[in-house]
Amino acid sequence: MPGRVARSAPRSAVSRKTAARTSSPPAGVPDEGPLTSLRRAICAVFADAQKSTAGHRKAVIGLRKIQEACCYEPVNYKKARQSEDFEETDFNEEVTRCVLRVLAVRKAEAVGDRVVRFLGTYLNVASAKDAEIAMGQQADTDMDVEMPGVTQVVHETPTSRLTTTILSTLLPLLNARDKTIRFRSTQIISHIINSLDSLDDTLFHSLRLALLKRIHDKEAPVRLQAVYGLGRLAAEVEDGANQEDSDEEDDVGAGVLARLLNILQNDPAAEVRRNLLLNLPLTKDVLPYLLERARDADASTRRALYARLLPALGDFRHLSLTHREKLLRWGLRDRDENVRKATARLFRERWIEDCAALPADHASDQDENQPQKPANQAADPSLDALLELLERIDVVNSGGEGGIALVAMKEFWSGRPDYIDYVSFPDTFWEDLSPELAFVARTFNDYCRSAGKEDGYDGPRMLDGMIEDKLPEVTQFGVLLEREIRRLVQSVQLAPLGEDEEAEEECVGREFVVEQMLHMAKTFDYSDEVGRRKMFGLLREALANPELPEEATHLVIDVLRLVCGVDRRGEQEFCRVVVEAAGEVHDVIMDDEDETAASDESSVDASFHSATEVIDDDGAPQSRLVKKDGRELTEEELEEKAIREIVINMKCLHIALCMLQNVACELESNAHLVTLLNTLIVPAVRSREAPIRERGLCCLGLCCLLSLNLGEENLDLFLHCFSKGHPALQTVALQIIGDLLVTHSSLLTKLPATPVQGDTTLGATEMEAENRESPFLKPVLKAFTKALKSDTPLVQSTGAVALAKCMLANLITSPPHLQLLLLSFFDPDTASNSALRQSLSYFLPVYAHSRLENAERMVSVAVPVVSKLATLRETMLDEAEADSGAETGGGEGMVKLSLVGGMLVEWTDGRLLIGSAGANAGGAEGANDLHLSLAEHILDRLVTTQVGKEEKKVLFSMLGKLCLSPGSDVELLKRVLGLVQEAIESRVATEASAKKLLDKLREMLLAMMNSIMTAERGGGGEEETVLEASEVGDETAIAAAGVGDRTVDFTELSVDDRTVIPAVDATGIETEDEGEDESTVLQRTEVGFTTVSGTTIGLPEVEGTRVALGGDEEEGDTELLDSD
């Protein structure tokens, strides 16, 4: 029927709405029969169940009584209604009727969840009651109820028939169009499956196939409930498949687990993956898929793995060594703090308890039915358990510098104060040190020296006191270290002779023990002269031993630097000792092989003479190598000798490299360093052997850091190594170049100006200064350009880091290279180079906000970057269209242009500059012109160039996010105002929304110009400019020339006397698809102009229509960027 005619105007709108609602056809409500006492009783039970879960037990008892009355005896509720008689089918229909009422309840309503929980509880209790009744009636029949995956006869009961009725009714509703009905029906079915122990076999297969369709539902809550039910069915299918061969139907069911594992890996909803993680069966085949969720994108899912799944998994020793190491590394280095805490708790509370409660000898013989110790009851501290735990995580390989075992033990000591009080280090502890014992001592020492009460330790004793009481003093520790070094040297000498793996493992273990003790020695106090002398002699002797491994040699040199002292005198002594030790190493190795006819020299200078034997000129005559007996060396002996010399020089260069990393004096002032440079490093750089040349280049780079003159002389060498070397050598050369330029900044600065003879004017001096720029500037820029365009990710990231350092130090101010860094950051080809993008994500905002000059350079390259990225995106779309015939997927790996524009606007915001507010506000003078200058570049691009659809959309979006200030430069303001007027006249914006954007921008610029002109005419005394702000909303679909996909608020705000166009928020940048057209609300500000002497200031004179002369300056690359 038509709506009732309203008598008054205010009610007309209401009448229209009512008519619109009543005009739709009424829903057909089926006839449910007369109201009976059974319906009233069952409805009352369900009504009580939806109020609170606390009354579910009482409601279950009441509903069970009703069911027993219908199924086992006549109904007798009231004396007045004794004539009524209800059957089992009536009870099932009424319960199903109540269940159907739940389907329309939305997910947010808690009453629906309470009813579903009540239904599952009731069916579980009623099934148990029916089983008891059936057992009493048929005592001789085995009524063991199992799931239908196992073929056993299960007798029907009233509850099983009720379950079949409910599930059969809900089964067709799984495909309903309404998402709420699909959600509730899937929820009820899954909850019933997880509440019962048996189902009808036919219904079981139907539910399984129906739920398999729902795991691909577009609604995440529906998928969540579907996988919840299939998780139980998958476990039963696996059990059935293990007991008997499956037919064709069972093969379909066997695919349930595979599909669920696929959902676990690829479902976009985190709650779906988390539900599967906690409900899938823990089998050998499924476990790897569950453990890989430690790298899930959702933090809650990762935390569920460490906090719920792994503790419930059982003994961690059943996991493989690879899984244990990866789980620890991923968890303890997770970016989420809760995941790190859960991993640390797992390591120190669960894994240590597994080792303490059951020794390793009996872990494999553990009976699954044997009762285990309660999880909340900790075992007594045990050193054997701790050693076994470290052995299980392979501490030899994971306990080095940067290894995960160090992080794990730090968390262990911080969370187990009982072990800190329990562990001790008597003399027997050091007699036969194993890698695990040495690691316990090292981590205990590190924790006690670096932690305290503030780090969570609440033990009865102070940590610094424990170090003095439990660990040996320096002199005694030196004796122990000397013994371990002697054992290490013996094992190294015996390892090449033995062909078994035990000798190699023994050598690796001894090396690890020595390394841990040397790490402890780096933390000791050497104020005791007796202990210092003991350690000095020990380290001096160990360094001269050629059998000492490289890592141990590095640690020995680090400790020796501390023992010698940190002053200048100690540094001189340190250099002398190391150079002498390197000479002894060379002499000892050379004495072991046959002597050649060359004369022996005992001086330190001659000890490195062998490094120069491979650099003779090609035309120079070479002496024949002969033995002492006069016989010439064979080819095998010559090859062996060459290998021996390589080993000698690599060992000596490693010692020199470690020494140079520990000195900071000037190279020329240290005669030992000069000797080392001339006799070892320079010949190594000239060597023809690649390993010697690369290590010599590293040593030369460290020497150049200590000497400006040496760095200036060898910078060309490093550039040559980069241009001609392989990727590994290029990476080393780039690192050296970057550090050298930052350390010696004068290498890239302009040379002092030389006045021109006969002309003392300022212009001549400036011209001469420009002609005397650094000769290294262009080669360095060319090298950085080549590095950023390299195909090797490591070279590319290293070059970006080196260039970023120089730009942050204001050594390189080239806008084209800043543009190249921006393009590398947004380029889809660098999406897999995480090192590059992570470095630039830190560098770009810091660079732009650190100096005004940097922000101005960012303004100058912002529009060209957007233009190049838009062109790149169009090219990718064309290529994708040519390959697949469609535009979909062409720009998936590329950052959205709207996001690029928002980031560029934020990086050029003058309000974010350091010094733009507070006491140093004067340091940011000129920051008000940044966004105005960016507006000039954007408008110039729009006016003078044919801009594509996507680029124009982004440029207008950027124009609407700018923050303009009244304190801007007048000339710049006039130019921007002229460009706006030209853009309006040339109809750059064809859409109404874009036209309004330009009109509002012109009004705002006119207001700013008005206030400036008023102040210049002296009218700014007590008179104030009146700003009348009004909001005008316009929801117009933005097309190609629109202002983007972001709501732009042009309401004029007063922030520190500045007219503000709200800028983009760093955390609120839109990431919508740029292909979608969205409506944008434009809120305008109308400005009332100030009148001076009754005269209104009108539009100032602006330039006419501009004509683009020549090519687009912003599109062209510089010659340096195009050259490789």
Side-chain angles (χ1 to χ4, degrees):
M1 294 179 62
R4 183 177 178 181
V5 178
R7 296 183 179 180
S8 57
R11 298 187 56 185
S12 60
V14 179
S15 301
R16 285 194 297 268
K17 293 180 181 180
T18 305
R21 289 197 301 266
T22 58
S23 60
S24 59
V29 179
D31 184 15
E32 298 181 343
L35 180 64
T36 61
S37 59
L38 177 63
R39 178 176 299 178
R40 285 195 296 269
I42 294 178
C43 289
V45 172
F46 275 88
D48 294 338
Q50 70 179 348
K51 294 179 181 179
S52 174
T53 57
H56 280 185
R57 182 178 179 182
K58 180 180 179 181
V60 167
I61 295 175
L63 188 60
R64 177 61 184 175
K65 290 181 179 179
I66 299 174
Q67 184 185 24
E68 290 179 353
C70 294
C71 300
Y72 295 104
E73 59 185 24
V75 178
N76 188 14
Y77 296 108
K78 298 180 180 179
K79 295 182 179 179
R81 305 295 300 274
Q82 292 182 354
S83 60
E84 291 183 319
D85 187 13
F86 299 102
E87 301 295 334
E88 178 183 343
T89 56
D90 299 330
F91 176 81
N92 294 345
E93 290 177 359
E94 293 300 330
V95 173
T96 305
R97 174 182 172 274
C98 293
V99 172
L100 292 176
R101 295 298 186 271
V102 185
L103 300 182
V105 180
R106 294 180 303 173
K107 178 179 179 294
E109 298 292 338
V111 293
D113 297 334
R114 297 193 193 108
V115 174
V116 173
R117 184 180 301 180
F118 164 74
L119 180 63
T121 305
Y122 171 74
L123 292 178
N124 188 12
V125 173
S127 298
K129 294 289 185 181
D130 290 341
E132 293 178 2
I133 295 175
M135 287 290 292
Q137 294 177 353
Q138 299 179 0
D140 56 340
T141 304
D142 185 11
M143 297 298 295
D144 188 15
V145 181
E146 297 289 342
M147 289 295 291
V150 180
T151 57
Q152 290 187 5
V153 178
V154 180
H155 294 275
E156 285 191 354
T157 61
T159 305
S160 66
R161 289 189 289 270
L162 172 63
T163 303
T164 302
T165 302
I166 296 175
L167 295 178
S168 301
T169 306
L170 295 177
L171 191 59
L173 300 178
L174 292 176
N175 299 321
R177 296 184 60 183
D178 188 83
K179 63 180 181 180
T180 303
I181 296 178
R182 291 201 312 273
F183 166 72
R184 287 299 179 185
S185 57
T186 309
Q187 181 189 28
I188 295 173
I189 290 176
S190 299
H191 193 74
I192 291 176
I193 290 175
N194 285 273
S195 300
L196 300 180
D197 296 328
S198 63
L199 286 176
D200 180 78
D201 189 52
T202 304
L203 189 61
F204 175 86
H205 294 291
S206 300
L207 290 175
R208 183 178 60 196
L209 296 176
L211 290 178
L212 281 175
K213 298 179 180 179
R214 289 304 97 206
I215 63 177
H216 301 292
D217 196 280
K218 62 180 180 179
E219 299 295 333
V222 179
R223 300 198 304 272
L224 174 64
Q225 298 301 326
V227 300
Y228 177 62
L230 285 174
R232 176 72 183 277
L233 299 182
E236 298 303 327
V237 168
E238 288 295 313
D239 294 341
N242 293 334
Q243 293 187 12
E244 61 179 6
D245 295 333
S246 58
D247 54 8
E248 182 178 357
E249 186 67 22
D250 290 332
D251 292 338
V252 178
V256 173
L257 187 58
R259 296 187 184 184
L260 290 180
L261 293 178
N262 183 44
I263 295 296
L264 177 65
Q265 292 179 315
N266 302 310
D267 195 280
E271 60 270 15
V272 176
R273 302 194 302 270
R274 185 164 54 252
N275 186 281
L276 275 175
L277 175 69
L278 300 176
N279 290 283
L280 282 176
L282 300 177
T283 61
K284 183 179 180 180
D285 297 331
V286 177
L287 188 59
Y289 294 92
L290 300 179
L291 297 182
E292 73 179 9
R293 288 302 94 199
R295 306 297 288 172
D296 195 276
D298 180 62
S300 300
T301 303
R302 300 195 301 270
R303 183 176 180 274
L305 173 70
Y306 288 100
R308 299 178 60 182
L309 178 66
L310 291 179
L313 193 58
D315 198 332
F316 81 99
R317 288 171 288 191
H318 296 298
L319 297 174
S320 65
L321 177 60
T322 303
H323 284 154
R324 292 195 292 264
E325 193 272 336
K326 286 184 177 180
L327 288 173
L328 272 183
R329 185 174 71 251
W330 292 341
L332 293 176
R333 291 177 177 169
D334 196 276
R335 59 180 176 269
D336 188 81
E337 183 180 1
N338 293 326
V339 178
R340 296 196 300 269
K341 290 181 178 179
T343 309
R345 192 178 304 112
L346 174 72
F347 179 76
R348 66 175 178 245
E349 294 180 5
R350 295 296 303 169
W351 287 11
I352 186 65
E353 294 302 321
D354 291 339
C355 297
L358 188 65
D361 298 338
H362 305 284
S364 60
D365 301 334
Q366 181 183 7
D367 188 2
E368 296 180 356
N369 299 325
Q370 180 180 359
Q372 299 181 355
K373 197 172 185 178
N376 55 356
Q377 183 178 354
D380 297 332
S382 172
L383 182 60
D384 294 335
L386 181 58
L387 296 179
E388 182 187 351
L389 176 61
L390 294 177
E391 183 182 358
R392 294 291 180 176
I393 63 174
D394 191 14
V395 70
V396 175
N397 293 321
S398 63
E401 283 302 302
I404 196 58
L406 288 173
V407 184
M409 284 304 297
K410 181 180 179 181
E411 297 293 341
F412 179 85
W413 295 119
S414 63
R416 296 302 298 265
D418 53 339
Y419 270 85
I420 293 180
D421 298 331
Y422 167 77
V423 71
S424 60
F425 306 96
D427 294 339
T428 56
F429 179 89
W430 306 95
E431 289 180 357
D432 188 13
L433 276 179
S434 64
E436 291 77 18
L437 286 172
F439 192 72
V440 169
R442 183 262 177 100
T443 55
F444 178 83
N445 174 74
D446 291 346
Y447 178 76
C448 292
R449 294 184 184 276
S450 61
K453 292 286 187 181
E454 65 277 3
D455 295 326
Y457 175 73
D458 55 356
R461 303 169 61 187
M462 296 301 295
L463 296 178
D464 52 356
M466 289 187 180
I467 296 177
E468 298 179 359
D469 296 342
K470 294 186 176 183
L471 293 177
E473 58 182 8
V474 177
T475 305
Q476 183 181 0
F477 185 83
V479 176
L480 299 175
L481 179 59
E482 183 179 11
R483 183 185 63 190
E484 294 300 327
I485 291 178
R486 190 183 309 113
R487 292 178 178 176
L488 171 61
V489 172
Q490 294 175 357
S491 63
V492 171
Q493 294 174 350
L494 295 176
L497 301 179
E499 297 180 356
D500 56 348
E501 297 182 356
E502 295 183 0
E504 296 181 1
E505 294 179 358
E506 177 68 17
C507 180
V508 172
R510 290 299 177 187
E511 182 180 356
F512 183 80
V513 170
V514 172
E515 291 175 3
Q516 302 311 304
M517 297 186 71
L518 289 172
H519 279 295
M520 295 177 64
K522 291 173 64 175
T523 63
F524 289 169
D525 182 15
Y526 295 100
S527 58
D528 180 19
E529 185 63 21
V530 177
R532 193 193 73 84
R533 289 181 178 274
K534 174 62 179 177
M535 291 295 296
F536 179 82
L538 166 65
L539 297 174
R540 170 65 177 81
E541 181 182 356
L543 187 59
N545 195 322
E547 303 294 343
L548 194 66
E550 287 193 352
E551 183 61 28
T553 301
H554 177 70
L555 293 173
V556 166
I557 294 177
D558 291 344
V559 179
L560 183 61
R561 182 67 184 90
L562 296 175
V563 173
C564 290
V566 296
D567 55 354
R568 183 181 180 86
R569 182 179 179 182
E571 191 174 50
Q572 291 281 348
E573 183 181 8
F574 167 72
C575 294
R576 178 186 60 81
V577 172
V578 175
V579 172
E580 291 178 357
E584 293 180 12
V585 169
H586 180 274
D587 294 339
V588 169
I589 297 179
M590 290 299 296
D591 291 341
D592 293 340
E593 64 180 10
D594 294 334
E595 302 250 347
T596 62
S599 61
D600 295 331
E601 296 180 357
S602 59
S603 63
V604 177
D605 295 350
S607 62
F608 303 110
H609 186 267
S610 61
T612 65
E613 293 177 356
V614 295
I615 62 171
D616 295 334
D617 296 334
D618 295 336
Q622 299 184 7
S623 60
R624 295 183 301 173
L625 300 179
V626 296
K627 290 189 175 182
K628 283 185 177 182
D629 55 4
R631 183 176 57 87
E632 294 185 5
L633 298 179
T634 62
E635 293 183 0
E636 292 79 6
E637 292 175 341
L638 289 174
E639 183 180 358
E640 183 180 356
K641 177 179 175 59
I643 296 175
R644 189 73 171 176
E645 290 178 350
I646 293 176
V647 174
I648 295 170
N649 291 311
M650 292 294 290
K651 177 68 176 180
C652 297
L653 287 171
H654 178 71
I655 295 176
L657 182 67
C658 297
M659 182 195 69
L660 291 171
Q661 292 174 350
N662 286 275
V663 295
C665 63
E666 293 183 2
L667 182 68
E668 292 81 359
S669 63
N670 194 319
H672 305 289
L673 295 181
V674 175
T675 301
L676 189 70
L677 174 66
N678 296 329
T679 58
L680 177 64
I681 298 176
V682 173
V685 174
R686 297 175 180 175
S687 174
R688 296 175 182 174
E689 302 295 337
I692 297 178
R693 187 168 59 249
E694 292 178 11
R695 185 164 290 186
L697 192 68
C698 294
C699 295
L700 181 61
L702 292 175
C703 291
C704 291
L705 296 180
L706 303 177
S707 174
L708 174 60
N709 296 331
L710 187 64
E712 187 175 359
E713 294 174 359
N714 292 279
L715 184 56
D716 290 331
L717 172 63
F718 300 135
L719 293 172
H720 176 77
C721 292
F722 170 76
S723 61
K724 302 298 181 181
H726 52 84
L729 186 60
Q730 287 181 334
T731 303
V732 175
L734 283 173
Q735 292 173 345
I736 295 174
I737 293 172
D739 294 339
L740 187 60
L741 295 177
V742 173
T743 304
H744 304 300
S745 58
S746 60
L747 293 175
L748 289 183
T749 56
K750 294 183 179 181
L751 300 178
T754 302
V756 181
Q757 295 293 336
D759 191 354
T760 59
T761 59
L762 181 60
T765 303
E766 292 178 352
M767 183 179 300
E768 185 69 15
E770 292 178 356
N771 295 333
R772 289 177 56 82
E773 67 179 9
S774 174
F776 298 113
L777 182 59
K778 288 186 178 180
V780 167
L781 294 179
K782 184 177 180 180
F784 285 148
T785 303
K786 182 179 179 180
L788 290 176
K789 295 181 179 181
S790 174
D791 296 332
T792 306
L794 184 58
V795 175
Q796 195 176 26
S797 60
T798 306
V801 171
L803 179 58
K805 289 180 180 179
C806 295
M807 298 189 75
L808 281 177
N810 207 26
L811 300 176
I812 296 178
T813 59
S814 172
H817 285 80
L818 176 61
Q819 178 179 338
L820 189 57
L821 285 177
L822 286 168
L823 292 175
S824 300
F825 181 60
F826 295 116
D827 195 340
D829 293 337
T830 63
S832 59
N833 195 347
S834 57
L836 171 69
R837 291 205 166 184
Q838 185 175 8
S839 302
L840 292 181
S841 65
Y842 168 79
F843 159 74
L844 290 172
V846 172
Y847 175 80
H849 299 154
S850 58
R851 286 190 179 95
L852 177 61
E853 296 80 3
N854 298 345
E856 291 175 349
R857 296 186 194 101
M858 187 71 71
V859 169
S860 65
V861 301
V863 176
V865 165
V866 173
S867 175
K868 289 183 178 296
L869 290 177
T871 305
L872 179 61
R873 181 179 179 85
E874 292 177 0
T875 304
M876 294 178 60
L877 292 176
D878 293 341
E879 293 177 355
E881 183 179 3
D883 294 340
S884 60
E887 295 187 3
T888 58
E892 291 180 355
M894 188 172 182
V895 182
K896 293 184 174 64
L897 290 180
S898 60
L899 180 61
V900 174
M903 297 175 73
L904 291 174
V905 170
E906 180 187 0
W907 292 340
T908 55
D909 192 349
R911 298 171 297 176
L912 301 179
L913 277 177
I914 297 177
S916 61
N920 298 327
E925 184 179 356
N928 298 333
D929 299 334
L930 289 176
H931 271 184
L932 191 61
S933 179
L934 180 60
E936 181 185 13
H937 287 79
I938 294 174
L939 292 169
D940 183 76
R941 173 70 179 173
L942 291 172
V943 170
T944 62
T945 310
Q946 187 69 26
V947 182
K949 176 181 177 181
E950 293 296 330
E951 182 182 354
K952 181 181 291 187
K953 182 178 179 180
V954 176
L955 291 179
F956 271 106
S957 176
M958 295 173 61
L959 200 61
K961 299 173 183 178
L962 301 181
C963 172
L964 304 183
S965 172
S968 302
D969 181 67
V970 179
E971 296 299 329
L972 179 60
L973 188 60
K974 290 181 181 180
R975 293 198 302 269
V976 175
L977 189 57
L979 287 171
V980 172
Q981 184 66 25
E982 183 180 353
I984 295 175
E985 293 176 356
S986 59
R987 298 182 180 180
V988 173
T990 57
E991 297 297 326
S993 56
K995 293 179 180 179
K996 290 182 179 180
L997 174 65
L998 293 177
D999 291 338
K1000 294 177 180 64
L1001 182 59
R1002 181 179 61 176
E1003 293 178 4
M1004 185 166 295
L1005 294 174
L1006 285 174
M1008 296 167 58
M1009 182 65 70
N1010 176 43
S1011 61
I1012 294 175
M1013 296 178 67
T1014 302
E1016 290 179 353
R1017 296 183 181 183
E1022 296 181 357
E1023 299 180 9
E1024 296 180 356
T1025 301
V1026 181
L1027 303 179
E1028 299 176 357
S1030 63
E1031 268 186 18
V1032 179
D1034 183 84
E1035 299 181 357
T1036 307
I1038 307 288
V1043 294
D1045 51 0
R1046 180 181 180 271
T1047 301
V1048 183
D1049 188 356
F1050 275 99
T1051 305
E1052 188 167 289
L1053 305 176
S1054 177
V1055 181
D1056 298 334
D1057 298 331
R1058 290 153 41 125
T1059 304
V1060 177
I1061 300 178
V1064 63
D1065 187 5
T1067 59
I1069 300 175
E1070 293 290 342
T1071 58
E1072 301 292 338
D1073 189 3
E1074 298 155 352
E1076 300 179 358
D1077 294 335
E1078 298 181 0
S1079 59
T1080 304
V1081 179
L1082 301 177
Q1083 301 175 347
R1084 63 170 299 179
T1085 300
E1086 296 180 356
V1087 182
F1089 297 112
T1090 305
T1091 59
V1092 181
S1093 302
T1095 303
T1096 303
I1097 301 176
L1099 179 67
E1101 296 181 359
V1102 297
E1103 300 176 359
T1105 303
R1106 301 175 68 248
V1107 179
L1109 300 178
D1112 190 3
E1113 297 177 358
E1114 297 153 345
E1115 286 290 320
D1117 289 334
T1118 62
E1119 180 182 356
L1120 182 60
L1121 285 177
D1122 291 335
S1123 61
D1124 290 330

